[in-house]
Amino acid sequence: MTDTTAQLVSDYLDHGKLPNLPNGHFIDGKFVAGSTGEMLQSFDPGNGKVIGTFATGNAKDIDDAVASSQKGFEIWRRMKPSQRCDILNKASELLLKNEAIVSVMETIDSGKTLVEAQGDVRNSARLLQYYAGAADKLDGRSINMGEDLTAWTSREPVGVTAHIIPWNYPTSTFVRGVAPALAAGCSVVAKPAETTPYTALLIAEILSEAGVPDGVVNVVTGLGSTAGAPLVVDPRVKHVTFTGSVGTGVNVMQAVAPNVTRLTLELGGKSPLVALSDSDVEAVAEGALWAIFSNAGQICSAGSRLVLHDSIHDDVMSRLLEKTKGLKWGHGLRNPDMGAINSDLHLGRVKAHVDAARDRGRSILTGGNVTTDQETGQGWFFEPTIIDRLATDDAAVQEEIFGPVLAVQVVKSDEDAIQAANATEFGLVAGVYSRDISRALRLARELDAGQITINDYWAGGIELPFGGNGKSGFGREKGWEGLDAYTKTKSIAVRL
Ligand code: NAD
């Protein structure tokens, strides 16, 4: 931990002193008060206390932000790609320089552990660097159409883009959309989630300091219904990148239809970690532990189902249970194994899912209850929970719980494993464990998921395209494919 980080942590934990909170929306390169002056409160999930307020954006604020973004787009798209590359590289450096404040702020606002928040900031800096490198490489193709024509394509920026951000990864979800959009020459209006408004504002300021012209990146805070809804239907917005729940994603899809606005949907998941009979049982137990309990299970791609071959079930489960019972949870700034649940409201949802499984007589091997910080007795926490031997039609297998709750399914063959793994409406990621690479690859071919990792769960970095099938959504973020949403291909042919 750097001295600055240690100081910020001690200021908050020992003296209740918060870092300076960004104030207002970020529009046209500066912080501005919301048009109504109405404010919402944001809470620290680690202790349940209010940390501050933020502006409640409405249609007028969105109108201002989109107008500013349109103006910014005309400047940004005409800039030399190499200049955009330099600015994004500079932003990456500045974000790393500001890691202490951004990660501490994120921990306090979201409830995650500091280590997780720091990882998120570093990932975001890498995303900026990766897409900085793409800014001057978005070339078209020259196309052979015979002797009397010459033809080529160019990739042009789509225009103003809207980014709707969820609360579980407020920093990196913001950057993973904004970085490729900026690299492609697009401008941005982003709406962070109502429980985690601050880090997008901090990063918008960092982008501005790095040289992104005024108006190119705007952030309007507030509710989905009053700020998100007018943003996605604004006809000046040419692409919407929505990350959030399936229900809201469906609403957004319907809302943008009349304008025929381009759309990326990054929705939920119920991703399986599949362990075949010849797996390394210790690797499976360790992989399954962090697949579900990282970020207290509040990850769209969490390994929330363990599809386990009968012959290794007992061995894996005894190891996994021992590891799970050893986990510590508490305020994220003290860096326990597991942080908080992001809101009181969401904690209630996690509890309801587990209560329903309990009511159906399902076997809860460990956890299963709402709890508090093990040191202070405060905050919004849920015990790390494992529910064993669930059937495919169990709600705990079919529904995204988005908390530290692992659903275990037992199978008797590789064919059963494929069927069980594919038997949900989602298709985001999957893990496959086997010592036989041919067996594992055969499974990988059959599994319906956007990203598959063999003999690990979290191998996917920023270079690998990420996104879902089925109700997990469509479109890909990260990697080279992450640029597709933000460019449109133009063909030009010339008769000679
Ligand atoms: P949510 O759908 O409740 O909210 C997401 C965002 O949408 C918030 O900013 C919210 O204010 C906004 N919103 C709400 N109504 C809107 C409307 N009518 N128009 C425009 N915007 C609106 O989701 P959440 O609870 O914040 O996030 C958790 C969900 O996000 C989980 O389902 C999780 O799986 C998913 N998620 C997916 C990914 C991914 O990459 N696939 C990543 C992170 C989270």
Side-chain angles (χ1 to χ4, degrees), residues 164-165 167-168 176 191 194 243-245 248 267-268 300 400:
I164 305 284
I165 317 293
W167 46 258
N168 61 333
R176 90 177 174 194
K191 209 293 286 169
E194 40 273 61
T243 310
S245 60
T248 313
L267 308 178
C300 51
E400 184 182 44

Side-chain angles (χ1 to χ4, degrees), residues 34-46:
S35 57
T36 62
E38 272 175 45
M39 305 295 273
L40 287 164
Q41 288 180 321
S42 194
F43 294 82
D44 175 348

Side-chain angles (χ1 to χ4, degrees), residues 52 63 74 140 165 175 187-188 203 215 217 300 349 366 464 484:
D63 187 44
E74 292 307 322
I165 317 293
V175 176
S187 60
V188 165
I203 298 170
V217 174
C300 51
R349 288 190 205 127
T366 185
L464 275 188
D484 293 346

Side-chain angles (χ1 to χ4, degrees), residues 341 346-355 382 401-405:
I341 299 297
H346 189 59
L347 183 61
R349 288 190 205 127
V350 175
K351 179 181 182 308
H353 279 287
V354 176
D355 286 349
F382 201 84
I401 299 177
F402 217 56
V405 182

Side-chain angles (χ1 to χ4, degrees), residues 43-60:
F43 294 82
D44 175 348
N47 59 25
K49 295 179 183 163
V50 174
I51 53 176
T53 57
F54 60 96
T56 315
N58 61 13
K60 164 77 173 77

